[in-house]
Amino acid sequence: QVHLVESEGGLVQAGGSLRLSCAASARTFIMYAMAWFRQAPGKEREFVATISRNGGSTSYADSVKGRFTISRDNAKLTAYLQMNSLKPEDTAVYSCAANQYWSGSDRNSYNYWGQGTQVTVSS
């Protein structure tokens, strides 16, 4: 079992950058594929990015490809989401998720979730 805690999000102007982190409680962090999802008001939770256990494979939603980068530091038990060139439509609650198997964009496959953090992008 793993407990996930996201860093504080924030308010940023369009075109700006923000980095989110997701700290895991388990020393077995390396056993989990990690992902980021987001949910805007009135919308379903949507996939943002995922990274494999050793960081060798990543996948992104088309809407963030080229602007967001997911990474992880297994020694620090932490996953990251670097967000650049932010747009107002990126405004959402961002949550990290973990699963022992590569689950891609399937949110129903992730067993562990953080509490979420608000990211607001002003125009």
Side-chain angles (χ1 to χ4, degrees):
Q1 193 166 1
V2 61
H3 182 59
L4 304 173
V5 179
E6 296 97 345
S7 60
E8 187 173 343
L11 173 65
V12 62
Q13 287 189 329
S17 298
L18 192 64
R19 187 176 83 157
L20 301 179
S21 63
C22 173
S25 62
R27 292 286 179 183
T28 54
F29 177 70
I30 196 172
M31 301 293 291
Y32 294 88
M34 299 297 296
W36 289 92
F37 288 79
R38 67 186 183 186
Q39 186 168 21
K43 295 187 176 182
E44 290 190 351
R45 180 178 284 175
E46 66 172 2
F47 169 75
V48 176
T50 187
I51 187 167
S52 61
R53 298 175 185 179
N54 65 2
S57 296
T58 58
S59 179
Y60 297 89
D62 288 342
S63 59
V64 307
K65 204 171 292 183
R67 299 187 299 122
F68 291 12
T69 302
I70 189 171
S71 62
R72 65 189 297 160
D73 186 333
N74 287 337
K76 295 183 178 179
L77 309 182
T78 303
Y80 304 95
L81 183 69
Q82 177 67 44
M83 304 183 290
N84 298 330
S85 302
L86 282 161
K87 306 174 181 180
E89 51 263 44
D90 294 318
T91 296
V93 174
Y94 284 72
S95 301
C96 61
N99 192 34
Q100 286 187 297
Y101 306 101
W102 177 265
S103 299
S105 61
D106 182 6
R107 63 177 183 264
N108 295 320
S109 295
Y110 289 88
N111 296 321
Y112 305 103
W113 291 84
Q115 81 285 359
T117 188
Q118 178 70 46
V119 172
T120 302
V121 183
S122 64
S123 57

